[in-house]
Amino acid sequence: MTETPAAGTAPATSPAPAAALATRPQALLLDFGGVVLATRKRPEGMAEVAGHVAEVLARAGHHIPAADLLPVLSGGRTALRDWKNSASRRLAPRELTHREIWGDFFGAPLPPAAREVLMGQAGALQQMVTLTLAEHSVRPGIRELVELADSLGVPLGIVSNAHSGRAHRAILERHGLAEAFGVQVYSDEVGVRKPNPEIIDIAARALGAEPGRCWYVGDTYDRDVVAGRRAGAAAVVLTRHRHTDEVPFPVSDVPDAVFDTPEGLVAALRAAEPPRAGSPGARAAREPATGRPGRPGGGELPSALLLDHGGVISVSRPDDGVRRAFAELLATRLTRAGHTLTTDQALRTLKDIRAAHTSWKARHELPAAPLTATVPEIDATTFWVELAGPVIARALSGTPVAAFGAAVVPDGLRAWLRAEAHALMVAYARAKSVPVVRRGVRELLRAARAAGVPVAVVSNTVNGRAVREKLDAAGLTEYVGAHVYSDELGRRKPDPELPAAALRALDADPAHAWFVGDKPARDVLAARAAGVGHVVLVRGGSTSDDALAALADDDPARPDHVVDDMTEPAALMGLAPAAPPDSGRPPAGRQPDPVPGS
């Protein structure tokens, strides 16, 4: 084949070879935009994004008008588009993190403190951008394709370059399509992007299939066709969309078939012959899954107030109902992908998964390490593949629990867990417990706002997104200027980088900042190492009164103050009580939709 003569011209394609689409695939892998969903730009979208970003920055004390942010964000969008075109030329491109997108692209021209605020909320901001800039509608033929694939026992998977997989999951839920797919693989969640063939390989293996016996369907030449060829897909198909013929550089690979809409794919799948019995590609049809898925002494006001979340802003109580609901969700999703697990089995695995996580934290959090030591946080992929994977594999095989990590995780299960790790993590975090806001927290936050003292939440957590949701549900988001969560930063307290990042975001003097936590060995040590001038521990969190009383005077984990509840810190800092608000929460602009069940 000859390379196309110039950028911007799509390769000529020949009629589909009979052999490529003649045999029914083991799995059908579909791109998101341009295949399953059609996208239409919203002309007013970027102005709405600028307004929302202005509100986010204002909460942290950075007042930049939306009109000034609009060209900054538009420039970032242009630069990001150019980066994506360049990345599609690479052999095995990785995906940008949300922090990179908001630090290096959207926020690059902004002052360092404002940029730090945006990086701290990058995941939520990117979801909002995805949902705001475009409207989505189901393409012709997709619902028929879903029904046909289900009747033929052909599993479906999503394989998409996405800077917000959580937004794409929400969109599929909104259109009633989420349950049709055994796996959803998004580049921001697995860390690689097309044309890297690994992303297709992950999806195929997650569904128990081989890439060489799958059909891959996309809408671009430089990303989808090239990725499909590199992955060795049995057939590579294009469904035309608005970017199909906008090729940024010459591409030599051509698809096996090009359809104007996915309706052509329905006919092709219907006409394909099932694999011959006994052949390597033969696969038994699966039954559809069932079930539902001081103030310092000098009189100065604090430069900033940093608050831990669990044990400080809220206390939590276990809830068997929410845990069982998560177990049911996990079992349903696994079963849908061909890994049959009951809700009761899933519920039993959660105890062992939590124990494995506790063991991981004990190995990586070294209490005797210097205050400047780096303390890593576990990421969603490590949690679900390396810790939960062996536990789930034992449950699937019926093997008794022996030792963590002893079980061999089947390749298909490993691939599925890698693809679904981020969605599982937020659902897991939501189901760990039911939070209740502590008495005095609202009054403290109102007093801080009235005095002009910026607030940050600085928390060790497996999922910062879930913490944000809890703050929003409690009506506290409007008071918080900066968010720093260990899973998003990749480091956990007592690592001082967490409070240091919050101080940078709020442009605050560490010596005049206050930190309120509930754990001496994490909160106090982290705050001290970051140079925070005043550290308070509150009783009633995860540290017993006896443990607090046992702290020696010269112990670096000893706080400056210990308080009984959250009604006391305001007086310590010299913050006057604020009058209660006259009305409800102020409008927050266009907000991302939560992902039901994800």
Side-chain angles (χ1 to χ4, degrees), residues 2 4 42 75 80 153 181 204 208 241 266 290 349 404 415 509 572:
T2 59
T4 52
R42 300 180 66 250
L80 191 57
F181 296 95
H241 194 41
V266 176
T290 58
T349 68
F404 296 121
D509 175 13
L572 285 174

Side-chain angles (χ1 to χ4, degrees), residues 337-508:
H339 312 289
T340 305
L341 195 71
T342 68
T343 297
D344 287 339
Q345 287 174 320
L347 193 59
R348 288 193 292 271
T349 68
L350 293 181
K351 179 180 179 181
D352 293 332
I353 291 172
R354 287 194 295 272
H357 186 210
T358 299
S359 176
W360 186 94
K361 288 188 288 187
R363 295 195 305 274
H364 290 82
E365 183 178 308
L366 305 175
L371 292 180
T372 55
T374 296
V375 183
E377 179 59 280
I378 198 166
D379 60 273
T381 302
T382 301
F383 184 98
W384 285 100
V385 176
E386 304 302 331
L387 298 189
V391 177
I392 295 171
R394 283 193 295 268
L396 291 170
S397 65
T399 304
V401 174
F404 296 121
V408 175
V409 182
D411 186 61
L413 175 61
R414 178 178 291 272
W416 187 89
L417 288 169
R418 180 181 175 186
E420 297 289 338
H422 289 266
L424 289 173
M425 188 60 94
V426 68
Y428 174 76
R430 289 169 177 162
K432 288 179 67 178
S433 58
V434 176
V436 177
V437 176
R438 293 194 64 156
R439 186 169 69 94
V441 167
R442 297 182 195 279
E443 292 75 13
L444 173 62
L445 292 175
R446 290 171 186 155
R449 183 166 67 176
V453 175
V455 175
V457 176
V458 181
S459 178
N460 282 356
T461 177
V462 295
N463 192 261
R465 176 183 169 191
V467 176
R468 287 187 180 87
E469 290 177 354
K470 293 170 184 176
L471 292 171
D472 197 50
L476 300 179
T477 301
E478 64 180 282
Y479 300 102
V480 181
H483 300 255
V484 180
Y485 302 114
S486 60
D487 69 306
E488 297 172 353
L489 199 62
R491 294 157 77 167
R492 62 185 280 109
K493 295 175 292 187
D495 194 309
E497 177 58 18
L498 278 82
L503 292 167
R504 289 196 303 269
L506 299 178
D507 199 17

Side-chain angles (χ1 to χ4, degrees), residues 10-13 16 21 29-31 33-35 139 194 215-226 228-229 235-241 243-247 251 253-265:
T13 57
L21 298 173
L29 309 178
L30 309 177
D31 191 13
V35 178
R139 295 204 71 190
K194 296 174 288 187
W215 294 0
Y216 175 67
V217 186
D219 70 315
T220 62
Y221 286 89
D222 57 305
R223 295 160 202 181
D224 294 314
V225 175
V226 174
R229 292 294 178 222
V236 179
V237 179
L238 280 184
T239 58
R240 287 193 178 277
H241 194 41
H243 292 305
T244 300
D245 296 321
E246 298 175 5
V247 186
V251 175
D253 292 307
V254 297
D256 296 304
V258 179
F259 302 120
D260 287 334
T261 73
E263 292 166 307
L265 193 60

Side-chain angles (χ1 to χ4, degrees), residues 4 15 147 154 156 263 307 319 400 408 410 424 474 523 539 565 586:
T4 52
E147 293 178 3
V154 176
L156 299 176
E263 292 166 307
L307 301 175
D319 187 291
V408 175
L424 289 173
D523 296 319
R539 302 182 192 275
D565 58 42

Side-chain angles (χ1 to χ4, degrees), residues 8-142:
T9 303
T13 57
S14 56
L21 298 173
T23 302
R24 187 181 301 164
Q26 278 188 326
L28 183 57
L29 309 178
L30 309 177
D31 191 13
F32 181 90
V35 178
V36 178
L37 279 300
T39 60
R40 185 183 69 82
K41 292 182 180 178
R42 300 180 66 250
E44 69 277 21
M46 188 54 78
E48 292 178 11
V49 171
H52 179 72
V53 172
E55 291 179 3
V56 170
L57 292 174
R59 291 179 196 147
H62 310 307
H63 298 284
I64 304 176
D68 293 345
L69 287 169
L70 184 56
V72 172
L73 298 172
S74 297
R77 187 184 185 190
T78 299
L80 191 57
R81 181 190 62 210
D82 291 343
W83 178 89
K84 290 189 285 188
N85 286 337
S86 298
S88 68
R89 184 70 175 186
R90 303 185 68 184
L91 287 172
R94 72 169 183 88
E95 184 56 275
L96 295 170
T97 66
H98 296 152
R99 288 180 65 88
E100 286 176 317
I101 292 171
W102 281 88
D104 292 343
F105 290 86
F106 288 126
L110 298 177
R115 188 164 59 248
E116 192 76 40
V117 170
L118 298 182
M119 288 193 293
Q121 303 198 52
L125 286 170
Q126 194 55 45
Q127 181 186 16
M128 181 271 300
V129 166
T130 301
L131 294 173
T132 302
L133 294 186
E135 294 177 343
H136 299 81
S137 58
V138 180
R139 295 204 71 190
I142 285 298

Side-chain angles (χ1 to χ4, degrees), residues 537-555:
L537 284 186
V538 61
R539 302 182 192 275
S542 60
T543 305
S544 69
D545 289 350
D546 289 342
L548 291 175
L551 292 171
D553 290 343
D554 59 351
D555 192 327

